[in-house]
Amino acid sequence: MIETIVLAAITLAAPMPVPTAVPGVPQNITLQQAIDIAAARSPVLAQARANNQLAQLNVPLAVTGYLPNLSATASSSRSNNGASAAAGRFGGSFTSRGLNANLRQLIYDGGKVIAQIRQARAGAVAGAETYQRSLETLSFNVAQAYYTALAADAAVRVDQQLLSLNQANQNLVNAQVRTGVAPRIDAVTAAVPTAQAEATLLSAQGTEAAALGAFANQLGLDANTLVRPVNNTPSNPSVALIHVLPYDQSVARALAQRPDYLAAQETAVSARYAVQVQRAGYYPTISGTASYGTNSTTVNGQDFAPNSSFGFTVSIPLYDQGVTRVQVQQALAQLDLANAQVAQAKLGVQLNVQQSLSTLLSDQAAVSQNVVAVTSARESLRATQAQYRAGVSNLFTLLQAQTNLTTASTSELDAIYALRQAEQSYIYALGESSINPTPP
């Protein structure tokens, strides 16, 4: 048992990791600086950027179907043949040399290539919108970590103030006990809230360290990096940092600029062109071919003579075991799925806006109410302290007033940073970002 207690004491006494500064990274950063750092260092965003590049490259690949195919060949061969009785002559050595150029050009394919190009372009737009949403998601996650760290820092400062307040009350009670105004048991009772406040402060400091580590990690930095968010809370914490629109205007704005919704629409457009691509399998294809070259005409590879040819190839599908029919049906099913996803995305946008707007407005009202509650609780404690000092009030009333202020202060802190995070949720629901996209 003694060993367990000693081990626990050693564990509690173990020092916390000391954050280290990173060259080029400011130790105190604004929200915009934090977002910029994350955009430059985040591996998640690097993955999204690579996926966007892949989507963009599908367009020039699809365009190649319209372009001519040109190839050139140079050949030189030497062969030795034995006697040929059937030919009535003896064999010998033969040398053949040639240089030829070949051209092939698609003329008609039932609109397949143009549909593939339009499909690729729609897919490229969808890829760009998906990348933009990744930017917004990163911005949102950084903002959430930013305000979580600020809330943890504010909690430490509030808990320090409350500890000082508890110590002041304990000193007041001890003074009353020494003068004989209050019973000795009051000194023991008054020491309990002070001990609880010390434990709360230690817990808050641990929470702050963890929140700062999560904040640094969100920026793409080592979790032990020394980086702290700058407090941007206004003097009146109930004042919103952003402009809030009515619900109808918010939804209209979100539907006009939410990248995930726009990406769903472009995916549906791409699916429509995919149907055209598959239906083109029912139509014939016409290609033109041409070649020009010069080749040897003698057995020793000399005496070159030019030769050329041109023509057309028509390929008419007659029966393909029903493959084209099934592929068309698959494309139509994919189109139905894409249209359903557009409808679902629209409902999701409307729900996001409604929930984020409702939360924002309610949190804003909650901050105002908590500010009033803290002011009232602080004045009540001051009055109770004066009454207890004068012997008019008892210890229970003093401790209750102290508890009320603790509860009100904690609620105010929670409400302030819940409002800040609700603002970021509203921005995210509208489809806005503080990051400028990096061209692929």
Side-chain angles (χ1 to χ4, degrees):
M1 182 66 177
I2 294 177
E3 293 178 352
T4 304
I5 295 175
V6 172
L7 179 60
I10 293 174
T11 303
L12 291 174
M16 297 181 63
V18 178
T20 56
V22 174
V25 178
Q27 297 179 12
N28 297 289
I29 60 176
T30 65
L31 178 56
Q32 185 59 57
Q33 288 176 321
I35 292 173
D36 293 341
I37 292 173
R41 303 179 66 102
S42 172
V44 175
L45 192 58
Q47 294 175 12
R49 188 179 297 112
N51 288 330
N52 181 37
Q53 290 175 338
L54 291 174
Q56 304 308 312
L57 290 173
N58 287 330
V59 176
L61 182 61
V63 172
T64 59
Y66 263 150
L67 302 179
N69 184 289
L70 180 63
S71 63
T73 59
S75 64
S76 178
S77 63
R78 182 177 178 81
S79 60
N80 294 307
N81 297 326
S84 176
R89 60 182 175 83
F90 293 101
S93 298
F94 298 91
T95 300
S96 175
R97 295 186 178 93
L99 182 63
N100 296 274
N102 302 290
L103 174 67
R104 184 179 183 279
Q105 174 65 57
L106 176 66
I107 298 175
Y108 176 76
D109 66 349
K112 182 176 182 179
V113 171
I114 190 171
Q116 288 175 328
I117 294 173
R118 291 171 178 171
Q119 179 187 8
R121 286 174 177 169
V125 175
E129 295 293 351
T130 300
Y131 173 57
Q132 178 64 31
R133 191 57 174 172
S134 297
L135 295 172
E136 294 176 0
T137 300
L138 179 64
S139 178
F140 172 72
N141 290 338
V142 169
Q144 294 294 303
Y146 186 91
Y147 286 114
T148 297
L150 279 178
D153 176 69
V156 170
R157 288 185 281 106
V158 168
D159 288 338
Q160 288 172 337
Q161 295 173 1
L162 292 176
L163 175 59
S164 299
L165 179 61
N166 278 275
Q167 291 171 339
N169 283 339
Q170 184 179 359
N171 293 336
L172 173 61
V173 173
N174 290 337
Q176 295 293 86
V177 171
R178 284 195 300 269
T179 59
V181 177
R184 186 174 299 277
I185 189 63
D186 282 7
V188 177
T189 303
V192 174
T194 301
Q196 292 175 337
E198 290 175 343
T200 301
L201 176 58
L202 288 173
S203 177
Q205 289 171 337
T207 300
E208 180 189 22
L212 290 173
F215 176 57
N217 179 264
Q218 191 65 56
L219 302 187
L221 302 170
D222 185 282
N224 205 43
T225 301
L226 180 59
V227 57
R228 304 180 70 91
V230 175
N231 190 3
N232 61 353
T233 301
S235 56
N236 181 1
S238 62
V239 174
L241 298 178
I242 60 174
H243 178 60
V244 182
L245 300 173
Y247 172 73
D248 290 343
Q249 295 181 24
S250 296
V251 169
R253 186 168 181 175
L255 291 177
Q257 64 183 19
R258 271 277 290 263
D260 51 339
Y261 178 64
L262 299 178
Q265 290 180 316
E266 291 298 329
T267 300
V269 172
S270 178
R272 285 198 294 272
Y273 286 120
V275 174
Q276 296 182 20
V277 170
Q278 299 304 328
R279 282 177 174 164
Y282 289 126
Y283 299 95
T285 59
I286 303 175
S287 301
T289 58
S291 65
Y292 180 82
T294 180
N295 295 274
S296 61
T297 60
T298 62
V299 295
N300 60 357
Q302 301 297 321
D303 297 332
F304 288 84
N307 61 80
S308 62
S309 67
F310 67 91
F312 297 93
T313 300
V314 179
S315 177
I316 302 175
L318 298 177
Y319 178 67
D320 64 353
Q321 299 86 33
V323 173
T324 300
R325 177 179 58 82
V326 174
Q327 290 174 337
V328 170
Q329 291 176 346
Q330 289 177 332
L332 287 171
Q334 290 293 334
L335 176 58
D336 291 340
L337 177 61
N339 288 331
Q341 289 173 340
V342 171
Q344 183 62 39
K346 183 176 181 179
L347 291 174
V349 169
Q350 293 169 338
L351 179 61
N352 289 161
V353 170
Q354 191 273 340
Q355 290 180 334
S356 63
L357 182 58
S358 299
T359 301
L360 174 58
L361 296 177
S362 62
D363 285 349
Q364 192 172 6
V367 171
S368 300
Q369 294 173 355
N370 277 279
V371 169
V372 174
V374 168
T375 302
S376 176
R378 187 175 289 114
E379 292 300 323
S380 176
L381 177 60
R382 289 172 182 169
T384 304
Q385 287 173 331
Q387 293 173 353
Y388 182 80
R389 191 178 293 109
V392 178
S393 179
N394 56 32
L395 179 61
F396 174 78
T397 304
L398 176 62
L399 295 180
Q400 186 61 51
Q402 181 176 304
T403 300
N404 291 342
L405 178 58
T406 300
T407 301
S409 298
T410 303
S411 298
E412 180 190 36
L413 177 65
D414 293 341
I416 289 173
Y417 288 100
L419 174 59
R420 300 284 85 88
Q421 293 186 330
E423 290 169 344
Q424 297 303 314
S425 296
Y426 177 70
I427 292 173
Y428 187 60
L430 291 184
E432 298 178 349
S433 171
S434 298
I435 305 178
N436 294 321
T438 302

